[in-house]
Each structure stands twice: as C-alpha cells, then as structure tokens.
Amino acid sequence: MRDNEGMPTPSPTVNTVLPIGPHAVQPPVVLAPMAGITNAPFRTLCREFSGGKGLFVSEMITTRALVERNEKTMQLIRFDATEQPRSIQLYGVDPVTVGKAVRMIAEEGLADHIDLNFGCPVPKVTRKGGGSALPYKRNLLRSILREAVSGAGELPVTMKMRKGIDDDHLTYLDAGRIAVEEGVTAIALHGRTAAQHYGGTADWDAIARLKEHVPEIPVLGNGDIWSAGDALRMVRETGCDGVVVGRGCLGRPWLFADLVAAFEGRADALARPTLREVAGIMVRHATLLGEWIGDESRGVIDFRKHVAWYLKGFAVGSEMRGRLAITSSLEDLRAGLDELDLDQPWPTGADGPRGRTSGNNRVVLPDGWLKDPHDCAGVGEEAELDTSGG
Ligand SMILES: Cc1cc2nc3c(=O)[nH]c(=O)nc-3n(C[C@H](O)[C@H](O)[C@H](O)COP(=O)(O)O)c2cc1C
C-alpha cells in the first residue's frame, strides 16, 4: 500500500507541537470540520491512519440546536471512546446563545476543545448576516468570542474563518486581532473569500500575513492541501503553525498516514492503496457509520455520498458506480465491490483536487450590511438554521 515515489522531502523543523490549550497536537495536522462528513466514524478512520496523532474536529453543530438539546444534534456530538481530545465545532450568531452552548459543553464535559465557525459562504446564511458575513461586524464578532471564551472556562476556544466577504471587504486581519484580544487560543484561516466559495486557488499569502499580524497565537493554514507535500509546503511558505485539511481527505482517510509521516520526517512512503484495499476501507467506513447510527441500512445510505470519492480515478464503469451509490445494505455493498477488478493499483489520476470546486458567486448580504463595520447590528437566529458548511 505504500510507495516511496513522490514522497515530499521533510524538513526537520515542521514536526513542531501545536498547542491547543492543554492539548499538544503533534504533528500539527488537523482534520477540517466538514458538515455531513467528519462525524465520529470518519474521524475514527482518519485517526486510525494517523496512529492517533493530530486533531480531528467534529462537523459543525449549531449553538441554538445544542442549547435546545435537539435530538439529532445530541446524536451528532457523540464521540468514539478512542477520541482524545474531543473537538466540537460550533456555529452561532447570537452571543448569548453561543455563551450558553459553550457553558453547556464545559459544564457537562461534552468536549475538550471548541472551535467556532465563521466561514460558511452559503447564501441562505450570509443573507441573514451569518457565516462568513458575520466577521464584517467587528463588535458582534467580539461579543461572540468574549462569551465563548468566558463560558468555556478551561476549555480552549479556537476560531475558523475565511479571508472576508470578497476582495473589497477583507476581514481576516481585524478578526485575528479581535480573537487575540478576546483570548482565543488559535485561528484557522481558509485562504478564500466567501465570494470564492471553493473556486480558484486558496491564497496562502493571506495565511502568511495573518501569521505576521497575530504572532501571539498559533495560526493554522487551510485551503488546497491535496497531499502531504502540499502540507509541508504550506508550512514552509507561510510560516503557519499547523495545517487544516478538508477535501483532500474525502474518500482518502489514509491521507492522514501520509501527513504524519511527512511531518515526522519519515520518508517511508505515500499510501497508495490498491482498489482491493480501498474496497476494504469503504466497507469499514460504512460499517462504522451503521454502528454509530445504530442501523446498518441507514449507515450504508449515509455512506453513499462517499462512494464516488473513494473510487475516483479507478477504472469502474458508470453503471457499477451508480449501483454502488444506491446500496442499502453491507451485503450489497460488498457484493458490488467484489465484482470490481480489485487488483488495480492506485491511479495517479486520483491525486489532486476532489470534492467541491465551484466558486465566484456574488455574496448575498442583508440590506445595508456593508455600510458600517462597527455598528452593533445583531444577526437573526434564522441565520443559524439548516446550515451546513464552511
Ligand atoms: C462538504 C464540506 C463541508 C464543510 N463543512 C464545514 C463545516 O461544517 N465547518 C467549517 O468550518 N468548514 C466546513 N467546510 C470547509 C472546510 O472545513 C475547509 O475550510 C475547506 O474545504 C477548505 O479546505 P480544503 O481545501 O482542505 O478542502 C466544509 C467543506 C466541505 C467541502
């Protein structure tokens, strides 16, 4: 499953410890929160490949649903017994509700680290002033961070954001300074604006600028890490303290094995699973989902969205891809996979970008939103409903 060719040349300086409060994350690699993806089963798979190293953040949980103890939300925040530290990402627009949610997590011991999401570019959220539109209102951002940090007590609070709304309305440097002043532990920057969604290329220079701007706390770089080599390059080029990897792991949880090896300076090779090995991981992923949900069929149905990512680049006909993407039982999934030419080696075409890549949309904002970055506008809690993504 491993292959030395193309292994990045490690630098002795990259295997540093990323301090997230009391948690020493080493190597400094973080699984990006991804709604609908980074649930306990997926985090567990990634952790297995990383040998338990790194930090694995939950999918986003809305603060309102959490304080209301919404049944689905309470299920989403369940961790596997092996997960340590337990990281929850929260998304909220109201300082009071965010404070309540964070206090609930701290008092009830629901997690060991809280990440706050300010990066969501989805129109139905920005239209209300939520997601990546929110940091434009500096005072609101400050209030949310203040409530979160004070409610969290000993728990470290980090934030994740984009560069801003668009190139004319960048917010990341101000937001970074506010975060430092309010006691945030670390900041992750996705080097895109909301207008870019997932299009174009991530601006790593912005990560370097943020690092210079807030030398007091760790800055994590995020955007367009598709290989361990990209991760090392981001650290080298930006001086960031760690990397956050999202789409590169879709259908490729073993990327964490590469990341750890690269940061540890072990040139012992890249994971290059054959289709037989990939098929085994697919079945395991679907099995873990079923166990987590408590229903095999629902687990396999939830797994459907991962099928195309796992099979990317392999010679599998469209009919079979279609069939595998509508299976409802582990037996059918296994049977379908068994019909494939499982001796195929890892296809080089499977390296590189995967997942969402669309971009360049006009950002929909509330009327007059851009008039005054310092007014004390609040955001309706509707900006918190039905959100997914960053
Ligand atoms: C399917 C999907 C779901 C996402 N959900 C979230 C989320 O819940 N919270 C968040 O902060 N970012 C979310 N993101 C953004 C990622 O965390 C990350 O910032 C982005 O994908 C850029 O990193 P990458 O180039 O490594 O993918 C999501 C991205 C994708 C593709």
Side-chain angles (χ1 to χ4, degrees), residues 150-298:
S150 77
E154 301 286 296
L155 294 187
V157 174
T158 59
M159 74 182 276
K160 179 165 174 286
M161 61 184 178
R162 287 183 177 239
K163 283 169 61 185
I165 293 175
D166 54 33
D167 286 342
D168 295 327
H169 302 92
L170 298 177
T171 53
Y172 69 106
L173 295 178
D174 282 2
R177 181 59 25 219
I178 292 168
V180 169
E181 287 165 7
E182 296 304 328
V184 166
T185 301
I187 308 175
L189 177 64
H190 177 190
R192 284 188 173 83
T193 60
Q196 285 178 285
H197 272 229
Y198 294 89
T201 45
D203 172 8
W204 289 7
D205 289 344
I207 297 166
R209 277 196 291 277
L210 181 65
K211 175 68 197 153
E212 281 165 19
H213 194 67
V214 292
E216 300 92 334
I217 59 175
V219 167
L220 306 182
N222 172 231
D224 298 352
I225 292 177
W226 307 110
S227 67
D230 290 342
L232 293 184
R233 191 165 56 81
M234 180 188 274
V235 172
R236 214 170 38 238
E237 291 179 8
T238 69
C240 67
D241 302 283
V243 295
V244 180
V245 187
R247 292 166 296 165
C249 301
L250 295 174
R252 230 169 35 140
W254 53 86
L255 183 56
F256 266 87
D258 286 357
L259 289 165
V260 169
F263 275 81
E264 291 183 344
R266 282 187 282 111
D268 66 346
L270 294 168
R272 288 270 181 252
T274 61
L275 184 53
R276 186 179 310 283
E277 290 169 316
V278 170
I281 296 161
M282 291 171 77
V283 171
R284 173 144 170 77
H285 191 168
T287 306
L288 287 173
L289 277 167
E291 288 168 4
W292 184 66
I293 294 170
D295 179 325
E296 176 192 308
S297 176
R298 283 177 54 208

Side-chain angles (χ1 to χ4, degrees), residues 32-38 58-61 89 115-120 160 162 190 192 198 202 222-226 244-248 250 309 354-356 388-390:
M34 289 186 280
I37 310 287
T38 59
S58 81
E59 55 190 313
M60 183 184 78
I61 304 293
Q89 187 186 56
D115 184 49
L116 296 175
N117 178 9
F118 296 101
C120 184
K160 179 165 174 286
R162 287 183 177 239
H190 177 190
R192 284 188 173 83
Y198 294 89
N222 172 231
D224 298 352
I225 292 177
W226 307 110
V244 180
V245 187
R247 292 166 296 165
L250 295 174
W309 292 321
R354 45 179 59 219
R356 299 173 186 170
S388 66

Side-chain angles (χ1 to χ4, degrees), residues 54-116:
L55 187 66
F56 302 84
V57 185
S58 81
E59 55 190 313
M60 183 184 78
I61 304 293
T62 64
T63 54
R64 188 163 154 195
L66 185 64
V67 298
E68 288 172 356
R69 294 183 192 271
N70 171 291
E71 197 184 324
K72 189 165 170 239
T73 301
M74 297 313 283
Q75 283 173 355
L76 285 180
I77 63 168
R78 283 170 305 144
F79 288 88
D80 186 83
T82 58
E83 294 190 76
Q84 188 58 43
R86 299 162 302 162
S87 290
I88 286 192
Q89 187 186 56
L90 291 181
Y91 167 62
V93 296
D94 171 49
V96 175
T97 312
V98 171
K100 278 188 195 156
V102 167
R103 262 190 299 281
M104 176 176 159
I105 292 173
E107 285 165 10
E108 299 179 23
L110 301 176
D112 307 301
H113 157 229
I114 296 168
D115 184 49
L116 296 175

